[in-house]
Amino acid sequence: MHDRESMEYDVVIVGAGPAGLSAAIRLKQLAAQGDREVSVCVLEKGSEVGAHILSGAVIDPIALDELLPDWKEDGCPLADVPVTENHHWFLSAKGKLAMPHLFTPGFMHNKGTYTGSLGNLCRWLAGKAEEAGVEIFPGFAAAEILFDEDGSVKGVATGDMGVARDGTHKPDFQPGMELHAGYTFFAEGARGSLTKEVKRQFDLERDCEPQVYGLGMKELWDIDPAKHVPGRVIHTQGFPLNSEVGGGFLYHQANGQVALGFVVGLGYTNPHLYPFEEFQRWKQHPAIRAILEGGRRISYGARVINEGGWQSVPTLAFPGGALIGCSAGFVNVPRIKGTHTAMKSGMLAAEAAYAALGAGRRSDTLDSYQPALEQSWIAKELKVVRNAEPAVAKAGLVAGTVWAGIDMWMRNFGLGLPYTLHHHRDNEGLWRKDLVPPIDYPKPDGVISFDRLSSVFLSNTNHEEDQPIHLTLKDASVPVRINLPLYDEPAQRYCPAGVYEIVGAEEGDPRLQINAQNCVHCKTCDIKDPTQNINWVVPEGGGGPNYPNM
């Protein structure tokens, strides 16, 4: 065991996304108002802030208004494109039906929202945080939770650098650094590797429904200027997922670009379903293809999204730390928005930690955080929509949408149906491969639809090849012994980056090959693997995708 240096902070934040950066800024604001110092450190596993940030994104500025009221006049890139049009389409194989605004609750109309790059918003927030005195360390992955003798979270340690695949130390080896804190905030995003551990350690999910997820795949396109309408927002349901949860989006953003993508709920049952190929089929729909023809794809990425809603929010505070943002799961699924709730949760956790530190408390439980959140507009907003995703999952597209719509309308007026629907874990629902026919997906045309490997190339993904594989198997025999005969090893299809392959089948000696260098850190494998045999852990800091404008 090698010695590690340590650094001491009042608050350490794991993840430089909207939640983590908002928490850091709010802590420094409170310190300035109270005329006392609070030391804050933010760790970011991407090569730079924003490198791993991927979202649609249409953003409600309510939290940004609270955090930095002058953001529009202060150079924030989000101010460039306010939403001007909002459309919701039901797609059949060849046609579309536009849903009138009259049929949707007002909170889904996107009035007062903005569309743009969440990565660029995070880069701007990082600048504001550093101006306030926050220390941000990009390229350093938090790999281990540190615990004190009393069982409380003491901080985190970054991963070692320069370790070869066989575990030996290369000439450039550097041991990880320990960061100790009075309070540690986990802001890793959906399905964070350390968040999973802290949930288990403190049994944080004992009183909630299991979290469920969707896999979101996104592309940026430069389109024909004659087709570009800045601020136009389109959401779709239906084709090609007529019996599964999911849908598409297409947002006209700045500089003649559209951000488009497709989300597949990971509770799907058909092991032959191929989420990436469903995305490519969606783009070939006449209504979508008409927008893209004459354009050029410039970027690709993928990331899972929390879809469990209010009933899946775990206990948020524990000795020495708290969950914020998508580590806790505050996405409003019908609105397809989570940035504003993530930011607000970080601000509320910061206020709880600042008060505790001011009272001389460290490493205890921030008991005021969860009650404050439950009294906030986060809770009010998420309670209204809590039955939307499970209604569609249980009843299908048409009946489920009607069911969800009635429930949301009633709750929006303070009524509501007298129940909360439950969830099942996403890995539990796959049928055996022999119970459903394979799905025949068309070959990509290289114009509108593409293959996975050329897509991963556009994500600028890179990992040091001679390092331990970060996609670990609890039992190396399971993929071929169980997953292949029962489910035709679905990892071959659910991974949007082509990480998993079955090789040697034609020779009668099949085995699972893991192309870890392709991994875009979406976390799908950690969630959807039917035997829960795959455990995603962080690679060396700085590895993974490098999204420039996502």
Side-chain angles (χ1 to χ4, degrees):
M1 181 67 180
H2 45 266
D3 293 329
R4 298 187 293 205
E5 296 182 8
S6 64
M7 299 175 67
E8 186 79 27
Y9 292 91
D10 291 315
V11 178
V12 166
I13 300 170
V14 181
L21 292 169
S22 296
I25 292 169
R26 187 70 183 126
L27 281 162
K28 285 297 187 179
Q29 288 175 337
L30 293 167
Q33 294 166 10
D35 196 25
R36 61 181 174 88
E37 184 58 39
V38 174
S39 56
V40 183
C41 164
V42 178
L43 292 175
E44 168 53 45
K45 66 182 175 68
S47 60
E48 64 171 359
V49 173
H52 290 179
I53 296 293
L54 183 142
S55 178
V58 171
I59 297 173
D60 185 333
I62 180 174
L64 193 54
D65 288 339
E66 294 180 13
L67 182 67
L68 297 165
D70 298 328
W71 62 273
K72 292 179 186 176
E73 297 78 33
D74 204 13
C76 179
L78 188 63
D80 293 342
V81 185
V83 171
T84 56
E85 298 180 16
N86 187 68
H87 304 273
H88 193 109
W89 296 346
F90 283 93
L91 302 182
S92 62
K94 297 295 183 181
K96 74 175 191 292
L97 174 66
M99 177 183 285
H101 276 198
L102 179 65
F103 292 168
T104 59
F107 59 78
M108 293 181 64
H109 293 174
N110 282 318
K111 183 178 180 180
T113 61
Y114 294 79
T115 182
S117 164
L118 183 59
N120 288 341
L121 174 60
C122 287
R123 292 180 178 97
W124 182 81
L125 288 171
K128 293 300 173 185
E130 289 181 320
E131 287 175 12
V134 176
E135 296 181 35
I136 301 178
F137 299 131
F140 288 88
E144 178 187 351
I145 302 173
L146 305 175
F147 295 95
D148 221 328
E149 292 179 0
D150 62 0
S152 64
V153 171
K154 182 181 180 180
V156 295
T158 62
D160 297 338
M161 305 285 281
V163 178
R165 180 160 296 190
D166 63 4
T168 60
H169 293 176
K170 294 186 283 188
D172 60 349
F173 171 78
Q174 292 183 344
M177 172 78 71
E178 294 191 359
L179 296 109
H180 302 165
Y183 297 99
T184 303
F185 292 173
F186 293 87
E188 299 177 285
R191 195 70 169 198
S193 54
L194 298 190
T195 300
K196 279 203 315 177
E197 181 181 346
V198 83
K199 283 181 176 180
R200 285 194 298 266
Q201 180 73 21
F202 296 104
D203 195 18
L204 301 181
E205 295 181 304
R206 60 188 177 274
D207 297 322
C208 68
E209 290 291 306
Q211 185 61 259
V212 296
Y213 301 86
L215 169 59
M217 298 153 286
K218 177 184 175 182
E219 296 175 351
L220 283 181
W221 283 65
D222 289 330
I223 66 167
D224 182 344
K227 301 177 182 179
H228 190 256
V229 184
R232 174 178 286 172
V233 164
I234 300 168
H235 294 114
T236 77
Q237 283 181 273
F239 177 86
L241 289 179
N242 294 316
S243 60
E244 302 285 359
V245 174
F249 64 86
L250 197 152
Y251 305 150
H252 291 247
Q253 299 182 338
N255 303 316
Q257 290 185 341
V258 294
L260 65 144
F262 199 73
V263 179
V264 177
L266 289 181
Y268 65 82
T269 57
N270 187 339
H272 303 297
L273 190 141
Y274 199 151
F276 177 86
E277 293 294 348
E278 297 291 342
F279 178 25
Q280 303 310 305
R281 288 177 64 197
W282 174 79
K283 289 189 294 176
Q284 294 286 7
H285 187 278
I288 306 301
R289 185 182 179 102
I291 299 170
L292 301 180
E293 284 180 322
R296 180 176 66 94
R297 186 178 72 146
I298 59 173
S299 192
Y300 166 81
R303 187 71 170 92
V304 297
I305 305 162
N306 295 300
E307 293 191 340
W310 182 249
Q311 58 267 54
S312 296
V313 173
T315 300
L316 299 174
F318 45 88
L323 304 180
I324 62 175
C326 285
S327 283
F330 298 119
V331 173
N332 184 321
V333 177
R335 294 188 74 195
I336 319 178
K337 292 177 181 59
T339 300
H340 64 304
T341 50
M343 292 177 68
K344 181 64 173 178
S345 70
M347 294 158 64
L348 292 171
E351 290 162 8
Y354 179 78
L357 293 167
R361 294 161 43 208
R362 296 176 72 88
S363 300
D364 64 357
T365 300
L366 295 174
D367 292 322
S368 63
Y369 169 39
Q370 188 136 2
L373 190 138
E374 290 174 353
Q375 294 298 315
S376 73
W377 50 257
I378 295 176
K380 180 179 178 182
E381 181 175 321
L382 294 186
K383 286 178 180 179
V384 169
V385 301
R386 64 181 180 264
N387 285 333
E389 192 279 344
V392 176
K394 294 177 188 299
L397 173 64
V398 177
T401 299
V402 172
W403 184 5
I406 292 171
D407 188 66
M408 286 190 294
W409 267 112
M410 292 179 68
R411 294 185 190 281
N412 194 44
F413 288 109
L415 301 172
L417 300 175
Y419 51 76
T420 296
L421 296 175
H422 302 290
H423 298 300
H424 297 287
R425 296 188 187 280
D426 289 325
N427 66 293
E428 296 175 347
L430 273 183
W431 296 338
R432 296 198 322 262
K433 67 179 184 180
D434 58 312
L435 297 179
V436 283
I439 302 173
D440 183 23
Y441 290 105
K443 291 183 178 180
D445 61 16
V447 178
I448 301 296
S449 56
F450 303 90
D451 61 61
R452 282 188 297 188
L453 293 185
S454 66
S455 300
V456 172
F457 177 79
L458 291 180
S459 71
N460 302 306
T461 294
N462 182 59
H463 294 90
E464 171 59 51
E465 289 200 31
D466 187 18
Q467 66 171 296
I469 293 176
H470 67 281
L471 303 153
T472 63
L473 301 179
K474 299 174 185 176
D475 183 340
S477 73
V478 163
V480 171
R481 181 168 55 87
I482 298 175
N483 289 353
L484 186 61
L486 288 182
Y487 311 109
D488 194 28
E489 184 45 275
Q492 300 177 91
R493 291 172 294 282
Y494 61 58
C495 174
V499 169
Y500 300 96
E501 291 182 273
I502 292 292
V503 299
E506 294 182 359
E507 294 77 23
D509 185 25
R511 62 182 178 84
L512 182 69
Q513 178 171 295
I514 301 177
N515 306 306
Q517 66 271 21
N518 287 2
C519 179
V520 294
H521 298 200
C522 73
K523 311 296 181 67
T524 302
C525 57
D526 195 276
I527 296 163
K528 189 58 179 174
D529 179 55
T531 53
Q532 290 294 276
N533 188 50
I534 299 173
N535 184 42
W536 195 101
V537 298
V538 291
E540 277 193 7
N546 283 278
Y547 299 132
N549 194 32
M550 298 281 265

